[in-house]
Amino acid sequence: MTNNIEKIYSDFIINFENKSDFVIDFYEKNSIYFNNIKQFKDKKELSLYIEMLCKYAEAIYQKNRYNLTLDIIAKKLLFIDNEIQRLNAAEIMDCRYYSLLFVKGMSSYYLKDYKTATPIFKELVHIDNQNDLYKKWLTYSKYGLNLWLVKMINIVCGGFVLIQMVFDSQINNYFSIVLLVIGLLGLLTNWSYEYYIGRNFRKANEN
């Protein structure tokens, strides 16, 4: 297996093109071999495989095939984790390994599965708390997780403003002002938060 996987990796690096189609075609051309790997001889083989799998998962993700991306990672990550444990290769859990988790988190986010995405980003931030990209995606995911609350605040605060406008003459003047202030402050705060999250999310996807 050593010669096989090293040869495949060598071909991958020598002919590498930084294009999703190249990575997908290359991996799928060798899919029979990859799908029939039972175990790795050593840490080097495992490391080479993780790198190629990471590139493949990222390429599928870039094609917006989020369900497929999650299926691939789910099938392979358990196998990889078992091999890491068997080979006592904890040091292999480096940036390439964590990239798989990152892609899993982003795919879950785009599928609006914030309950899955948020813990992944929390784990990544815990592992590398200096990584601003991890922190941003954790913020986006938390926003998605709490979106129901954001919508509820908009409804309640909008209701306060509407009540004040419709029933102003029938409500105590002081209470009317309080309703208006609470409603407007709530709406402005919520809208500012939504604008901030949306703007940063767009910028992150443009880079």
Side-chain angles (χ1 to χ4, degrees):
M1 183 181 292
T2 301
N3 290 335
N4 285 333
I5 199 162
E6 288 190 356
K7 181 180 184 305
I8 290 173
Y9 180 79
S10 178
D11 290 344
F12 181 68
I13 295 301
I14 290 172
N15 299 298
F16 182 75
E17 296 178 21
N18 192 24
K19 299 177 181 178
S20 299
D21 288 337
F22 167 80
V23 176
I24 293 170
D25 290 344
F26 183 91
Y27 189 95
E28 293 182 350
K29 183 179 69 175
N30 294 282
S31 61
I32 294 177
Y33 173 76
F34 288 134
N35 292 335
N36 285 282
I37 296 175
K38 302 301 180 184
Q39 65 179 30
F40 297 97
K41 182 178 180 180
D42 52 33
K43 298 176 183 180
K44 181 179 180 181
E45 284 188 356
L46 177 55
S47 179
L48 297 180
Y49 175 72
I50 291 174
E51 183 175 344
M52 287 186 284
L53 176 64
C54 178
K55 292 293 186 183
Y56 178 54
E58 288 174 348
I60 296 295
Y61 165 81
Q62 289 167 2
K63 290 286 188 178
N64 303 324
R65 301 170 186 170
Y66 305 124
N67 281 304
L68 179 58
T69 302
L70 291 175
D71 287 344
I72 291 166
I73 293 175
K75 290 176 182 177
K76 301 300 184 181
L77 199 55
L78 180 60
F79 170 58
I80 289 171
D81 287 341
N82 288 337
E83 285 298 280
I84 287 174
Q85 185 174 2
R86 185 181 67 82
L87 294 170
N88 192 26
E91 68 274 15
I92 287 178
M93 298 174 71
D94 56 12
C95 58
R96 290 166 295 185
Y97 176 89
Y98 292 121
S99 288
L100 286 173
L101 291 183
F102 188 46
V103 172
K104 180 181 179 181
M106 291 189 295
S107 296
S108 298
Y109 175 90
Y110 276 115
L111 292 172
K112 301 186 186 303
D113 184 5
Y114 307 119
K115 288 184 178 179
T116 297
T118 303
I120 292 173
F121 295 129
K122 282 184 179 179
E123 179 183 354
L124 291 172
V125 170
H126 177 73
I127 291 165
D128 183 3
N129 60 16
Q130 299 300 313
N131 191 309
D132 291 333
L133 196 56
Y134 291 166
K135 292 179 182 178
K136 285 181 179 180
W137 275 92
L138 177 57
T139 299
Y140 306 149
S141 192
K142 283 182 175 179
Y143 170 76
L145 195 62
N146 296 317
L147 191 57
W148 67 271
L149 180 59
V150 173
K151 291 180 178 178
M152 183 62 67
I153 291 173
N154 279 336
I155 291 171
V156 172
C157 291
F160 284 169
V161 174
L162 183 62
I163 290 171
Q164 193 279 334
M165 292 174 63
V166 174
F167 301 102
D168 180 47
S169 60
Q170 303 173 34
I171 302 176
N172 176 278
N173 190 50
Y174 173 78
F175 187 61
S176 176
I177 294 174
V178 170
L179 279 179
L180 182 61
V181 170
I182 292 175
L184 289 176
L185 283 177
L187 288 173
L188 288 173
T189 301
N190 238 24
W191 291 342
S192 297
Y193 176 57
E194 289 182 284
Y195 173 76
Y196 170 78
I197 293 294
R199 184 190 63 180
N200 284 313
F201 185 74
R202 288 190 297 273
K203 284 184 176 180
N205 282 276
E206 289 171 359
N207 295 332

